[in-house]
Amino acid sequence: MSLPRVPQAVVFDMDGLLVDTETVYHAAVVATAQEMGLEFPKALFLKLIGLTWAHNEHQLLDHFGADFDATAFRAAASLKFHELAAVELALKTGVVEILDRLDELDLPRAIATSSHHREVEHHMGHHGIRDRFHTVVAHGDYARPKPNPDPYLLAAERLGVAPHLCLALEDSHNGVRAAAAAGMMTVMVPDMLAPTDEMRELCVRIATDLHEVRGWLV
């Protein structure tokens, strides 16, 4: 089989894996920077993916200078994101199909995300799939964020399945680190970040999309 063990549960990241938020976030920060007369290079955006605000604030100050109002920029970019997300936020390829397969197999599933619960409710509710997840672990539910294993360990606990019997699906490097540290079978489904040698070592597989992962579920 394509996985080392038959999964008894599946834990999904959200941003960049279930919904195409990273593309919209990127458009939002670029547009916000342009309104301020600044350029926001893609290389800088890639440094922010899957990390905490404390880390991202440091990256912004390092790039734009100590006088840059990172808090105001974050607020403006967030407003821009929600404007764009209202009309542009799409599901990633294969989401509905893999959820259908999990229904067929009667496998429980969770979301483990660094986003807030309100964002999960908005993004998942927008596409009518929120109720297809048995539990959601989001910002505020755990003491230590990704790359620490806490979000994934809590998801496994809520599902009542041992971590090593859970399949974790991630698109970010820090998410992969978190899931692997929790002892889960970890598959990276790359979005904006390419897999590295470290990711290949931590993951049991690298997938092209969720359609491919679906085919590994038996």
Side-chain angles (χ1 to χ4, degrees), residues 17 19 21 37 41 52 54 57 65 69-70 88-89 99 105 120 132 141 148 160-161 165 177 184-185 191 207 211 216:
L17 182 89
V19 282
T21 45
T52 64
E57 183 179 29
D69 191 340
E88 295 183 17
L89 192 59
L99 291 175
L105 297 171
V120 177
R132 303 192 70 176
D141 292 337
N148 297 289
V161 178
L165 295 176
R177 293 179 184 115
M184 293 188 179
M185 293 177 283
D191 182 37
H211 278 304
W216 301 337

Side-chain angles (χ1 to χ4, degrees), residues 8 29 72 88 96 98 122 129 158 187:
Q8 300 302 304
V29 297
E88 295 183 17
V96 173
I98 196 172
H122 175 270
I129 61 172
R158 289 184 178 179
V187 169

Side-chain angles (χ1 to χ4, degrees), residues 6-8 10 98-109 214 216-218:
V6 177
Q8 300 302 304
V10 180
I98 196 172
L99 291 175
D100 288 345
R101 182 59 177 154
L102 294 178
D103 286 345
E104 293 170 2
L105 297 171
D106 197 27
L107 287 182
R109 77 288 317 222
R214 179 190 180 278
W216 301 337
L217 298 171
V218 296

Side-chain angles (χ1 to χ4, degrees), residues 29-40 64 68 73:
V29 297
V30 168
T32 302
Q34 288 177 341
E35 290 172 0
M36 299 171 65
L38 301 170
E39 292 187 8
F40 203 105
F64 291 113
F68 181 73
F73 180 85

Side-chain angles (χ1 to χ4, degrees), residues 27-136:
V29 297
V30 168
T32 302
Q34 288 177 341
E35 290 172 0
M36 299 171 65
L38 301 170
E39 292 187 8
F40 203 105
K42 188 173 182 179
L44 174 60
F45 181 77
L46 294 179
K47 292 180 180 180
L48 310 181
I49 294 176
L51 298 169
T52 64
W53 168 243
H55 173 276
N56 289 349
E57 183 179 29
H58 175 77
Q59 290 290 333
L60 293 174
L61 293 175
D62 185 59
H63 181 83
F64 291 113
D67 293 334
F68 181 73
D69 191 340
T71 301
F73 180 85
R74 181 191 189 190
S78 179
L79 286 175
K80 179 66 70 175
F81 168 79
H82 285 98
E83 289 175 10
L84 297 174
V87 292
E88 295 183 17
L89 192 59
L91 286 178
K92 298 291 287 185
T93 300
V95 171
V96 173
E97 291 82 357
I98 196 172
L99 291 175
D100 288 345
R101 182 59 177 154
L102 294 178
D103 286 345
E104 293 170 2
L105 297 171
D106 197 27
L107 287 182
R109 77 288 317 222
I111 291 174
T113 178
S114 299
S115 294
H116 291 78
H117 278 282
R118 64 178 179 274
E119 293 166 327
V120 177
E121 296 299 325
H122 175 270
H123 300 341
M124 297 295 94
H126 179 74
H127 292 285
I129 61 172
R130 167 60 187 88
D131 292 340
R132 303 192 70 176
F133 297 89
H134 296 87
T135 190
V136 171

Side-chain angles (χ1 to χ4, degrees), residues 186-190 195-196 199-200 203-208 212 216:
T186 305
V187 169
M188 183 178 183
V189 186
T196 62
M199 296 299 104
R200 294 185 180 91
C203 291
V204 297
R205 294 294 298 270
I206 305 291
T208 55
E212 184 175 14
W216 301 337

